[in-house]
Coordinates of all heavy atoms in Angstrom, one line a residue:
P289 N 131.8 -243.3 58.1 CA 131.8 -243.2 56.6 C 131.6 -244.6 55.9 O 131.0 -244.6 54.8 CB 133.1 -242.6 56.3 CG 133.9 -242.7 57.5 CD 133.0 -242.8 58.6
L290 N 132.0 -245.7 56.6 CA 131.8 -247.0 56.0 C 130.3 -247.3 55.9 O 129.8 -247.8 54.8 CB 132.5 -248.1 56.8 CG 132.4 -249.5 56.3 CD1 133.0 -249.6 54.9 CD2 133.1 -250.4 57.2
L292 N 128.0 -245.0 55.7 CA 127.4 -244.1 54.7 C 127.7 -244.7 53.3 O 126.9 -244.6 52.4 CB 128.1 -242.7 54.8 CG 127.6 -241.9 56.0 CD1 128.4 -240.6 56.0 CD2 126.1 -241.5 55.8
L293 N 128.9 -245.3 53.1 CA 129.2 -245.9 51.8 C 128.2 -247.0 51.5 O 127.7 -247.2 50.4 CB 130.6 -246.4 51.8 CG 131.7 -245.5 51.6 CD1 133.1 -246.1 51.8 CD2 131.6 -244.8 50.2
R296 N 124.4 -245.1 51.3 CA 124.2 -244.1 50.2 C 125.0 -244.5 48.9 O 124.7 -243.8 47.9 CB 124.7 -242.7 50.6 CG 123.9 -242.1 51.7 CD 124.4 -240.7 51.9 NE 123.6 -240.1 52.9 CZ 123.8 -238.9 53.5 NH1 124.9 -238.2 53.1 NH2 123.1 -238.3 54.4
G297 N 125.9 -245.4 49.0 CA 126.7 -245.7 47.8 C 128.0 -245.0 47.8 O 128.2 -244.1 48.7
I298 N 128.8 -245.3 46.9 CA 130.2 -244.8 46.9 C 130.1 -243.4 46.3 O 129.6 -243.1 45.2 CB 131.1 -245.6 46.1 CG1 131.3 -247.0 46.8 CG2 132.5 -245.0 45.9 CD1 132.1 -248.0 46.0
S299 N 130.7 -242.4 47.0 CA 130.9 -241.1 46.5 C 132.3 -240.7 46.8 O 132.9 -241.3 47.8 CB 129.9 -240.1 47.1 OG 130.3 -239.8 48.5
A300 N 132.9 -239.8 46.1 CA 134.3 -239.4 46.3 C 134.5 -238.8 47.7 O 135.5 -239.1 48.4 CB 134.7 -238.4 45.2
A301 N 133.5 -238.0 48.2 CA 133.7 -237.4 49.5 C 133.7 -238.5 50.6 O 134.5 -238.5 51.5 CB 132.6 -236.4 49.7
N302 N 132.7 -239.4 50.5 CA 132.6 -240.5 51.5 C 133.9 -241.4 51.5 O 134.4 -241.8 52.5 CB 131.4 -241.4 51.3 CG 130.1 -240.7 51.7 OD1 130.1 -239.6 52.3 ND2 129.0 -241.3 51.3
L303 N 134.4 -241.7 50.3 CA 135.6 -242.5 50.2 C 136.8 -241.8 50.8 O 137.6 -242.4 51.5 CB 135.8 -242.8 48.7 CG 136.8 -244.0 48.4 CD1 136.4 -245.2 49.2 CD2 136.9 -244.2 46.9
L304 N 136.9 -240.5 50.5 CA 138.0 -239.7 51.0 C 138.0 -239.7 52.5 O 139.0 -239.9 53.2 CB 138.0 -238.3 50.4 CG 139.1 -237.4 50.9 CD1 140.5 -237.9 50.6 CD2 138.9 -236.0 50.4
V305 N 136.8 -239.4 53.1 CA 136.7 -239.4 54.6 C 137.0 -240.7 55.1 O 137.7 -240.8 56.2 CB 135.2 -238.9 55.0 CG1 135.0 -239.2 56.4 CG2 135.0 -237.5 54.6
L306 N 136.5 -241.8 54.5 CA 136.8 -243.2 55.0 C 138.4 -243.4 55.0 O 138.9 -243.9 56.0 CB 136.1 -244.2 54.1 CG 136.4 -245.7 54.5 CD1 135.9 -246.0 55.9 CD2 135.8 -246.6 53.5
V307 N 139.0 -243.0 53.9 CA 140.5 -243.2 53.8 C 141.2 -242.4 54.9 O 142.1 -243.0 55.6 CB 141.0 -242.9 52.4 CG1 142.5 -242.8 52.4 CG2 140.5 -243.9 51.4

Side-chain angles (χ1 to χ4, degrees):
L290 182 60
L292 288 174
L293 282 173
R296 294 186 178 173
I298 296 176
S299 74
N302 288 347
L303 194 55
L304 178 63
V305 169
L306 179 63
V307 168

